[in-house]
Amino acid sequence: MFLKNNFSIISSLLDNDFYKFTMQNAVIKLFPFAKAKYEFINRGNHSFPENFSKILKESLNKMSHLKLSKEERTYLEKYCPYLDSSYLDFLNQYQYNPKEVNIYQKGKNIKMDIEGLWSRTILWEVPLMAIISELYYKLAGIKRISDKKIVFLTKKKLKEYKKLKVKIGEYGTRRRYSYQVHKLVLKILIDEGAPFFVGSSNVHLSHIFSIKPIGTKGHEWIMFHGSKYGLNTADRIAMENWLNIYKGNLGIALSDTYTSSVFFKNFNEKLSNSFKGIRHDSGDPILFAKEAIKHYQKFKINPIKKEIIFSDNLNPYKVSYISSFCKEKINPFFGIGTNFTNDVGVPSMNMVIKMVESFPKKNWISVVKLSNVKEKSTGKKNMIFLARKILHL
């Protein structure tokens, strides 16, 4: 149970997924006064060690000292030109406020919620999950395989992906075994993955290795639009707002906030032409690919000129199966997370932190995510039922 007081899991403001910064920029510009609430969901029913919440709070308190360095700002200016100077000025002044996070422990169970201005609280989710994951393994004494074996496994998977000639990215920050493992794996991918490895979603590690970070937006962007504009049009308005901010950059549309069937109804001809592709994050990937191809063909758009980013719990077998179907039909890209950063001989954690309420105008409104599979849906049960009724699902 012992942990050194000087141990720091998050050492940079940029140790986060890229899409958190792109969304934060858009939130500041369009919804600067909006508020948000998030909750930790322990899907795997993990049992947390004694005093876990206390040590977790200590790690969060250390994050309050993180600030964007001059070198980090220069990196963002060079590699992420669509993040303008006004946003980078905001990020220069940004510091985490641990008072926005409430953590409770009862026995072996952890409860956690986050509340505050959306433009501030949006950055908490990913580093918090990375901290929870790393602390869990450390405090529970769950040992991983050796660095040598991790290197061997990573190279083996990389060899399979290169044989398939598929484009892959690393998306594994939130459920990584540890920062050290994440950095080790990413170095191998960068050193030996060309030309098929295209980047990491982690901005801090991308900065260390001088590569461009990858990612666009997450479900909360659309969930907020659902609370502000209504569920039926949320996908469309969220995409239109994204286009207005980024002018065609970061052009991947997220398809399963209110199920793919609702998404495709909103993904009109203009949006289908304007976005370079779509992301699949739940449900049968082959059925989704078929639906996407059919959708593009309806608007006389050649699917081979579009991308599908698959990001749902991938491994070499799934990638082989999906890429085989997509060949010469539509361009697949694979965002691989836990299978890269937590394939270390221990069970990976099953947890999420999701927006549960937003304050778009004058009052708090419960938000929901209606995934293509029930297990990945989030929100209050009565709100999920109501949302499905509204959307005729």
Side-chain angles (χ1 to χ4, degrees), residues 5 17 34 77 101 106 110 135 163 210 229 244 247 262 286 293 303-304 310 345 350 353 386:
N5 290 330
D17 278 342
E77 288 170 342
V101 185
K106 189 174 182 180
I110 292 289
L135 280 181
K163 190 177 179 182
S210 298
Y229 301 106
N244 289 336
K247 315 299 181 189
V262 173
I286 304 303
I293 291 165
I304 205 68
F310 295 93
N350 185 2
I353 293 174
L386 179 62

Side-chain angles (χ1 to χ4, degrees), residues 313-325:
N313 194 25
L314 297 174
N315 57 43
Y317 172 78
K318 287 183 181 179
V319 170
S320 175
Y321 173 62
I322 296 167
S323 63
S324 177
F325 173 81

Side-chain angles (χ1 to χ4, degrees), residues 19 23 216-223 242 254 257 279:
Y19 77 164
M23 286 193 295
T216 51
K217 58 183 174 293
H219 295 100
E220 68 184 283
W221 177 250
I222 302 144
M223 291 161 73
W242 197 257
L254 182 54
T257 308
R279 179 155 76 94

